[in-house]
């Protein structure tokens, strides 16, 4: 019998709520079949369930624990993650709680040797980084799910068995009141780095694990420092290793440092030793103040991914699909993009609106993204935790040069998690001769329209047609395209960008008097963009036609 | 200050290549290997004044 902890987890800043286990109808003989079952209510499973529901797909969400994440774990949301949460309609509490930031500074031998500016465009709504603890990320998503009738979130429900067949899967679920079986059309494995589903299916990840271990410790202290990422290479108290400092909400600071080679996790977490090192870090940042410990853990870096994210009726997302180094904030941010890429496809497939082959392109796009990240993050990891003498010598050479030379400073900046462009996706249609704008496969670019108004605010659910009208309004050809979108078999939200007000239209009209949207999209009158429900562009035309739209929609649903 | 000539991507690739080459050489032969590498690069550079500039930059901040 599964017995999840019923005492709130300890924390000095976060009040854990213990959710009740509720006996599901299947335990009393009801023979239901759910279209989709999401396993694991971490950030990625929660967002997947929410997005499925927003697209009209009912799901059960099984979570083995009764409360949210132990410890703050993933603490940085990238701009893309913020955009994804915004289109899911849940960003408000994140912005109210989180701490936005744009740059980091790196120090060596007591000198600032590198300043990392994360790219920011004035047209973007969100700053490049938003620091917020994983407990809050999960809490806010759980709150949104509570208001969503299509999701049945079951706490204290641990998946212990999985049998797949051609029509679906049967899950064995262990609970505080015993086991039951759940029949489902599709399974989403969002059960984290130690995925039980990965194990049950006998799947192995590919890639490598790195030897260096890191401690992360969250403390409460009054440091009075701004929100930025600080990185110290080779400090006196920890020769050859590095230290990262991040600010979190609620007066919490994340300290992250590499352990001397050969030191065990137990030794590193021994309270007296840990306290000495925290004191050394605070002295190093010039703030030797009293502090209180919230949570500490040891982790190591891997660049591992499953070679295929769809296995039979099971789709993998987040840490269950890949384990990535957290340098460059890849953990949860990569997973959010997985959830976003999977949920719309699975919603269409589960609702019978698209063939199940559509899911192949999910795997293709996201395994490709993960492999790219493994390659990039592998470089950062080899810099932060040199795996051999050769890499250590090269790292030391670069650091030494940074004190007097600029040519290799950029090696101190590990590339940060960014939105992926699915340029080679089979869902993309031909690209209609644009100069600039947003290429097929890339996410829609945001455009600032007013003080608190952006293009993304106007996006609807489902596919998105953005049509560009001239000063006289849409011409007959564009009218035909808008009509075709309204009558399409699949939901297509229509946005009409117009230089002048167009009262009484059925579409949502966005005013663009200065042509700023048109310029950013390199679009003249009669042009149109089609974006998938995850806001990645899949087709665009300088002169759109109903036939082109139908063909592009079919292709984007895996029918092309 | 040395001019920046390699792109970041090229620099990253060179970084990995040299690190791997260093690892392939036994520890007691690394100095010899690095001296040979410097000489070969100087020859390819074809400009003693630039070599002098590089030597000066490399000699700083060694402790
Ligand atoms: C110690 C630690 C520190 C980290 N620090 C950072 C960081 O600083 N920055 C960063 O970006 N990332 C960090 N990460 C990674 C980040 O937490 C993950 O990338 C992110 O949480 C992935 O989300 P997920 O939803 O895929 O998995 P998880 O958050 O792990 O969620 C998986 C969920 O599935 C549930 N579950 C597991 N097995 C079952 C089962 N059999 N049945 C039902 N439910 C199940 C679990 O209880 C859990 O709620 C850290 C991770 C760890 C472990």
């Amino acid at each position: 019998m599964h017995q999840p902890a019923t005492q709130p987890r300890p924390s000095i800043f976060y009040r854990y709520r213990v959710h009740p286990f509720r006996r599901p109808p299947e335990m009393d003989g009801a023979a239901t079949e759910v279209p989709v079952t999401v396993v694991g209510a971490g950030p990625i499973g929660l967002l997947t369930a929410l997005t499925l529901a927003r697209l009209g797909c009912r799901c059960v969400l099984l979570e083995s624990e009764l409360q949210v994440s132990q410890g703050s774990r993933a603490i940085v949301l990238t701009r893309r993650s913020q955009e994804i949460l915004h289109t899911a309609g849940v960003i408000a509490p994140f912005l109210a709680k989180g701490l936005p930031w744009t740059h980091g500074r790196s120090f060596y031998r007591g000198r600032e040797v590198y300043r990392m500016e994360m790219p920011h465009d004035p047209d973007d709504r969100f700053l490049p980084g938003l620091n917020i603890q994983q407990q809050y990320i999960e809490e806010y998503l759980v709150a949104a799910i509570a208001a969503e009738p299509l999701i049945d979130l079951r706490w204290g429900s641990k998946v212990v068995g999985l049998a797949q067949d051609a029509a679906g899967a049967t899950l064995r679920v262990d609970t505080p009141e015993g086991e039951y079986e759940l029949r489902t059309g599709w399974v989403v494995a969002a059960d984290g780095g130690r995925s039980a589903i990965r194990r049950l299916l006998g799947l192995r990840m590919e890639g490598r694990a790195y030897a260096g271990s890191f401690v992360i410790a969250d403390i409460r202290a009054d440091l009075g420092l701004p929100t930025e990422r600080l990185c110290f290479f080779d400090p006196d108290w920890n020769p050859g290793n590095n230290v990262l400092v991040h600010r979190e909400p609620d007066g919490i600071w994340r300290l992250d440092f590499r352990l001397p080679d050969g030191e065990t996790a137990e030794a590193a977490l021994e309270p007296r030793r840990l306290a000495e090192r925290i004191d050394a870090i605070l002295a190093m940042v010039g703030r030797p103040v009293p502090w209180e410990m919230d949570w500490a853990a040891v982790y190591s870096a891997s660049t591992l991914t499953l070679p295929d994210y769809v296995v039979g009726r099971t789709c993998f997302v987040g840490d269950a699909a890949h384990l990535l180094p957290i340098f460059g904030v890849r953990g949860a941010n990569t997973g959010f993009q997985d959830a976003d890429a999977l949920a719309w496809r699975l919603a269409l497939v589960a609702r019978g609106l698209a063939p199940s082959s559509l899911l192949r392109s999910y795997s293709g796009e996201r395994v490709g993204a993960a492999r790219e990240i493994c390659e990039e993050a592998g470089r950062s990891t080899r810099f932060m935790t040199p795996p051999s003498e050769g890499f250590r010598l090269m790292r030391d050479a670069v650091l030494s040069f940074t004190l007097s030379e600029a040519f290799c400073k950029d090696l101190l900046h590990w590339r940060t998690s960014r939105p992926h462009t699915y340029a080679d996706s089979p869902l993309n249609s031909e690209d209609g001769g644009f100069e600039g704008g947003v290429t097929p496969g890339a996410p829609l670019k945001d455009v600032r329209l007013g003080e608190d108004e952006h293009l993304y605010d106007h996006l609807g659910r489902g596919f998105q047609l953005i049509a560009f009208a001239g000063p006289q309004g849409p011409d007959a050809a564009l009218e035909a395209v808008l009509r075709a979108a309204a009558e399409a078999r699949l939901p297509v939200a229509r946005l009409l960008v117009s230089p002048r007000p167009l009262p009484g239209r059925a579409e949502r009209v966005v005013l663009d008097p200065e042509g700023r949207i048109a310029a950013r999209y390199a679009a003249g009158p009669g042009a149109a963009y089609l974006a998938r429900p995850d806001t990645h562009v899949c087709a665009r035309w300088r002169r759109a036609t109903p036939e082109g739209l139908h063909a592009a929609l079919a292709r984007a649903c895996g029918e092309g | 200050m040395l001019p920046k000539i390699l792109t970041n991507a090229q620099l990253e690739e060179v970084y990995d290549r040299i690190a791997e080459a260093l690892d392939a050489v036994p520890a007691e032969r690394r100095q010899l290997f690095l001296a040979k590498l410097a000489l070969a690069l100087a020859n390819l550079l074809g400009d003693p004044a630039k070599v002098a500039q590089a030597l000066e930059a490399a000699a700083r901040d060694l402790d």
Side-chain angles (χ1 to χ4, degrees), chain A residues 230-252:
Chain A
L230 299 178
C231 175
F232 300 85
F233 288 100
D234 192 33
D236 291 340
W237 70 272
N238 192 9
N241 295 319
N242 45 269
V243 181
L244 295 170
V245 178
H246 260 297
R247 185 175 169 213
E248 299 174 32
D250 299 341
I252 303 293

Side-chain angles (χ1 to χ4, degrees), chain A residues 108-281:
Chain A
Y108 178 58
R109 300 276 147 94
R111 280 164 57 186
E112 184 178 326
V113 291
Y114 187 72
R115 185 179 164 95
M116 168 186 82
E117 279 298 341
M118 301 221 278
H120 182 65
D121 189 305
D123 271 317
D124 284 321
R125 178 182 263 289
F126 303 110
L127 287 181
L130 185 75
N131 286 3
I132 182 165
Q133 292 96 333
Q134 191 165 324
Q135 292 101 323
Y136 290 115
I137 298 177
E138 294 181 13
E139 175 187 321
Y140 300 155
L141 290 170
V142 167
I145 280 175
E148 187 51 77
L150 290 178
I151 306 173
D152 177 1
L153 168 49
R154 300 182 180 179
W155 298 97
S157 304
K158 180 179 181 176
V159 170
V160 294
L162 166 66
Q164 305 200 83
D165 52 65
T170 305
L171 290 162
R172 218 169 64 245
V173 187
D174 196 8
T175 77
E177 296 185 17
E179 291 192 7
Y180 70 95
E181 285 197 342
L182 183 64
R183 181 71 197 163
T184 185
W186 294 91
V187 177
V188 177
D191 53 345
R194 295 211 182 90
S195 173
I197 299 202
R198 211 169 57 215
R199 203 185 56 242
L200 288 167
L201 293 178
L203 303 174
R204 302 196 60 155
M205 300 207 275
E206 297 172 356
R208 65 176 289 189
Y210 287 82
S213 295
F214 297 76
V215 168
I216 53 183
D218 279 4
I219 61 168
R220 180 156 59 204
D222 190 5
L223 300 190
L225 294 170
T227 311
E228 58 182 353
R229 195 227 55 208
L230 299 178
C231 175
F232 300 85
F233 288 100
D234 192 33
D236 291 340
W237 70 272
N238 192 9
N241 295 319
N242 45 269
V243 181
L244 295 170
V245 178
H246 260 297
R247 185 175 169 213
E248 299 174 32
D250 299 341
I252 303 293
W253 293 84
R254 159 74 58 93
L255 311 178
D256 180 330
F257 57 89
R258 170 140 188 238
L259 290 178
D261 281 332
E263 187 173 318
T264 64
E266 296 73 47
L269 293 178
E270 193 271 307
R272 263 227 329 271
R273 171 174 282 193
L274 187 53
E276 277 170 16
R277 286 173 169 164
I278 290 171
D279 285 335
I281 293 172

Side-chain angles (χ1 to χ4, degrees), chain B residues 6-55:
Chain B
L6 293 182
T7 65
N8 286 339
Q10 290 173 323
L11 207 53
E12 281 177 331
E13 194 190 323
V14 166
Y15 181 98
D16 278 1
R17 282 273 192 87
I18 304 179
E20 282 156 12
L22 280 167
D23 282 334
V25 173
E28 69 281 5
R29 292 278 176 262
R30 276 191 195 125
Q31 295 217 23
L32 178 61
F33 167 79
L34 286 172
K36 285 174 72 184
L37 179 63
L39 214 49
L41 292 174
N43 176 56
L44 289 175
L45 196 57
D47 182 347
K50 283 187 182 160
V51 175
Q53 226 187 325
L55 280 173

Side-chain angles (χ1 to χ4, degrees), chain A residues 2 9 38-46 61-77 134 138 154-161 172-174 189-197 199-200 216 246 248 254 256 295-299 317-336 338:
Chain A
H2 176 47
R9 306 186 197 279
V38 180
V39 182
I44 312 311
L46 288 162
L61 173 52
L62 300 171
E63 166 55 48
S64 86
E65 299 296 319
L66 298 171
Q67 45 194 324
V68 298
S69 170
Q70 166 135 38
S72 63
R73 295 172 64 192
I75 53 158
V76 183
L77 295 177
Q134 191 165 324
E138 294 181 13
R154 300 182 180 179
W155 298 97
S157 304
K158 180 179 181 176
V159 170
V160 294
R172 218 169 64 245
V173 187
D174 196 8
D191 53 345
R194 295 211 182 90
S195 173
I197 299 202
R199 203 185 56 242
L200 288 167
I216 53 183
H246 260 297
E248 299 174 32
R254 159 74 58 93
D256 180 330
W295 169 77
V298 172
Y299 74 89
V317 286
D319 281 11
H322 43 65
L323 287 173
L324 304 170
I326 66 173
F327 314 119
V329 299
R330 318 239 178 206
N333 292 302
T334 305
F336 279 143
D338 296 338

Side-chain angles (χ1 to χ4, degrees), chain A residues 108-109 111 379 382-383 388-391 393-395 398 400-401 403-408 410-411 415, chain B residues 1-4 8-9 11-16 18-20 22-23 30 54 57-58 60-63:
Chain A
Y108 178 58
R109 300 276 147 94
R111 280 164 57 186
R379 288 188 197 280
R382 290 195 287 278
F383 196 85
S388 65
E389 185 60 17
F391 279 93
L393 273 169
M394 290 305 288
R395 198 267 319 260
V398 169
S400 175
F401 265 138
L403 293 173
S404 66
E405 297 289 333
F407 75 97
C408 59
D410 286 335
L411 293 179
R415 296 194 199 85
Chain B
M1 185 96 73
L2 298 179
K4 183 171 168 68
N8 286 339
L11 207 53
E12 281 177 331
E13 194 190 323
V14 166
Y15 181 98
D16 278 1
I18 304 179
E20 282 156 12
L22 280 167
D23 282 334
R30 276 191 195 125
R60 283 194 293 265
D61 302 307
L62 290 179
D63 37 65

